Amino acid sequence: MTEVDDQRKQVSALALIEVRSAIRRRQRAGDISDADADSSIAALVGESQRLLEHPVTAAIVEHASALVDRQDLRALDSLQLASAIVARDSMRGDDRLQFVTSDQKLLKAAQSEGFDVWDPQADT
């Protein structure tokens, strides 16, 4: 993935709590140490200050409902993808918008919705 200008990094308000939850779940499961979890949370908080955060709106909920009908997605995942769809629509079809996830089901749904996708875990 190439460097992205901070002003172009967008995220659903839900994303940050989902990432934090995933880090804490891995910590509790013993997959990562307490120190690594705390370091990851600190990095997340720092990076979040540089992102354009989108609140969950009625338009996003409407798109998410339609996604649930046509994709095999959980509720929060449909809200994440719907947020990206609304952001893309507001950018008037800017083809440089990329959807980033390591959730394979969400990645496939985003691809089928016309997004260029990137799985950061695929690079490790």
Side-chain angles (χ1 to χ4, degrees):
M1 181 173 170
T2 60
E3 289 292 320
V4 176
D5 181 19
D6 284 346
Q7 295 172 345
R8 296 189 45 79
K9 293 179 183 176
Q10 301 180 39
V11 66
S12 166
L14 299 171
L16 302 174
I17 191 69
E18 280 198 285
V19 172
R20 188 180 194 116
S21 174
I23 291 167
R24 293 301 184 197
R25 278 194 318 270
R26 291 194 62 200
Q27 175 189 17
R28 289 180 189 104
D31 296 334
I32 60 175
S33 69
D34 291 350
D36 285 345
D38 290 343
S39 174
S40 296
I41 296 292
L44 174 67
V45 169
E47 183 66 18
S48 71
Q49 302 303 311
R50 299 174 26 197
L51 304 174
L52 175 59
E53 188 175 290
H54 290 275
V56 177
T57 63
I60 289 171
V61 171
E62 184 177 327
H63 278 281
S65 295
L67 283 167
V68 166
D69 290 342
R70 69 177 176 266
Q71 302 282 351
D72 182 19
L73 292 174
R74 296 174 298 202
L76 287 179
D77 288 343
S78 71
L79 286 165
Q80 293 281 16
L81 185 50
S83 293
I85 290 169
V86 169
R88 179 182 62 193
D89 291 350
S90 73
M91 297 171 75
R92 297 184 183 99
D94 184 342
D95 62 353
R96 294 180 295 166
L97 188 61
Q98 186 174 52
F99 192 89
V100 180
T101 183
S102 291
D103 180 305
Q104 294 305 300
K105 191 180 283 189
L106 183 53
L107 184 130
K108 288 176 184 170
Q111 280 179 315
S112 74
E113 295 296 326
F115 284 93
D116 178 31
V117 297
W118 177 54
D119 176 357
Q121 286 187 344
D123 293 343
T124 59

